Structure formats: structure tokens, C-alpha cells
Amino acid sequence: MNKFDIAGIRKELKPDNVMLNIKDLYSVYLKKDNKEEPFKELTYFNMMDSEKKDLYLKNFKKVLSGAIDTKLFEIDFKNKENNDDSFSQNILYKALNSDDKENFKENLDNIVKKIADNFKYEGDIVINFARAEYFKPAKKVNEEADESKDDDAYTFKLILCSVNKVEFPKTVLKLDYLNKQFMANSSMDCIINMDSPIEGFMFPCFNDNSSDVNRVLYYSGKA
């Protein structure tokens, strides 16, 4: 993928955009100490409130940001000719094309398990997956003509993933507006850092206006 293709997808990550329609969003909380998953959420993206949508969209934009070969890397899958269902490429391909939400969730749970088995993070993490359909105009739009930019377009399915750090704030005094009282924050309170994903990926890559399922675009939060 070149920087223009990546930028083209990134700029379409905005609310209620028909050119990049996010359908399903799946988030998993993964603990460092015992690799348990205390919370999972599978939602239909368009059912979310606008503030929550914006948080996710900004998060996924980060995964498509940075210089190629510095923070973004196009990586080949190993064993890409193998039909073994345990390979990540095959798992992602099935998740991408699944018509059943439970099957979609089950395949992504297998990706989460692979992350848990190779856990390398300093603390708890939240993994976000988005399944979307991207429409890339096949030609430049003539703004003066009676022509819509989706009249002639290439269509791609994609999965975006981000891995995000979970942070536990220090104990502070806060105002509980609901109960009209001052109180200490709970030790169970946590913040998911959506502004700076640790890493992430997009599957598949796109080259010459076609999907390349043999490669993944990997994002590293650090150069």
C-alpha cells in the first residue's frame, strides 16, 4: 500500500459516512496477570451515541497514521498457502466474510487468544476490532457535473484492530453529580487510552485497487 491509499481510507473515518461504513465493533478487555477477559462488547456501530463513535473513529485513525516503514508496515503472512484454520490469516478472512455475528465474534476471540498467548504488554489492554466496507471512487469526481463520488467505485471489506493501554488513575475526590455528594473514586475505575494505541493492524491490504489477503498493514505506536 502507498501513503495515498492509506490516507484515503483514514480520511473516510468519520461519522455516518457511506464511503466507509463501519458495521460491527467488538471490544475485549484482556488482563495481564491471568489473561482473563472480564468484559467483552459486540455492538452495531451505528447504534452508538455520537461521542462514543468519535472516540473509536479517532482511535482507528491513529492506526492508519505515521510514516511507512517507520510506524506502518506491510507484512506478509507466514504459511499463507496453508488451509489450517488455526492460522491468523484464515481466522481473519473468516471473520471478515462471516454473515453471522456470533461466528464473527468467535473468530476474533481466536485472535485475542493468540495475543494472550504471546502477551508482551506492561499492563491490562483493551483490543478493539471494527468490520467495515470501504468504497473507493474509481475516478476523480467532477464537482460541476451531476455526478456522485460513489457512482463508480471499488468496494473493499476490511477489519481494523487497535490495542490500547488501560490506565488506573490515582485515588482522588470527585463529585458524584447523580447522588449529589463528594466521594473517592473506586479502585475499579479505569481509563482506556484511546488517543495513543500501542499497536494495531488493518486486514487485508489493498494494492492496485484489489484486496491482498496475503498481507496485513501493521501499526506500531513507537517508531
Side-chain angles (χ1 to χ4, degrees), residues 8 14 22 30 51-52 63-64 80-81 85 88 101-103 106 111 113 121-122 131 146 163 165 193 200 217:
K14 48 192 175 185
I22 297 179
L30 185 61
E51 289 185 357
K52 193 172 180 181
V63 173
L64 297 176
K80 56 189 175 185
E81 302 299 328
D85 288 343
S88 298
K101 286 188 180 295
E102 284 304 313
N103 184 259
E106 180 181 341
I111 295 294
K113 184 178 184 304
Y121 309 105
E122 296 178 355
R131 181 167 59 167
D146 185 14
V163 179
K165 183 180 179 182
N193 186 343
L217 184 69

Side-chain angles (χ1 to χ4, degrees), residues 58-163:
K58 289 176 183 177
N59 184 238
F60 290 124
K61 279 184 179 180
K62 288 285 187 178
V63 173
L64 297 176
S65 300
I68 295 174
D69 295 331
T70 300
K71 299 187 78 172
L72 291 171
F73 304 87
E74 196 171 343
I75 300 175
D76 287 321
F77 282 101
K78 293 181 180 180
N79 305 304
K80 56 189 175 185
E81 302 299 328
N82 198 307
N83 292 322
D84 191 324
D85 288 343
S86 67
F87 287 121
S88 298
Q89 179 186 13
N90 297 333
I91 295 171
L92 287 169
Y93 185 81
K94 287 190 293 183
L96 183 68
N97 294 286
S98 175
D99 293 326
D100 180 76
K101 286 188 180 295
E102 284 304 313
N103 184 259
F104 169 72
K105 176 176 174 292
E106 180 181 341
N107 281 293
L108 292 182
D109 280 338
N110 288 331
I111 295 294
V112 173
K113 184 178 184 304
K114 285 175 175 282
I115 294 173
D117 290 342
N118 298 276
F119 201 96
K120 60 181 181 181
Y121 309 105
E122 296 178 355
D124 297 355
I125 57 173
V126 168
I127 308 162
N128 297 318
F129 298 95
R131 181 167 59 167
E133 193 167 19
Y134 170 53
F135 297 90
K136 178 184 176 182
K139 57 185 177 180
K140 291 185 177 180
V141 182
N142 185 347
E143 299 291 346
E144 297 179 357
D146 185 14
E147 180 181 12
S148 170
K149 72 175 182 177
D150 57 350
D151 282 346
D152 190 11
Y154 300 102
T155 305
F156 307 108
K157 293 180 181 179
L158 61 90
I159 288 176
L160 287 166
C161 172
S162 66
V163 179

Side-chain angles (χ1 to χ4, degrees), residues 9-17 20-25 27 45-46 48-65 128-132 158 160 162 164 194-195 197:
I9 298 172
R10 185 175 63 244
K11 76 175 184 179
E12 298 294 354
L13 282 166
K14 48 192 175 185
D16 306 317
N17 182 17
L20 200 156
N21 179 24
I22 297 179
K23 297 181 178 179
D24 304 303
L25 198 140
S27 297
F45 187 75
N46 286 334
M48 291 182 177
D49 63 63
S50 59
E51 289 185 357
K52 193 172 180 181
K53 279 183 184 179
D54 285 341
L55 288 171
Y56 280 107
L57 289 170
K58 289 176 183 177
N59 184 238
F60 290 124
K61 279 184 179 180
K62 288 285 187 178
V63 173
L64 297 176
S65 300
N128 297 318
F129 298 95
R131 181 167 59 167
L158 61 90
L160 287 166
S162 66
N164 306 278
M194 301 282 276
D195 292 329

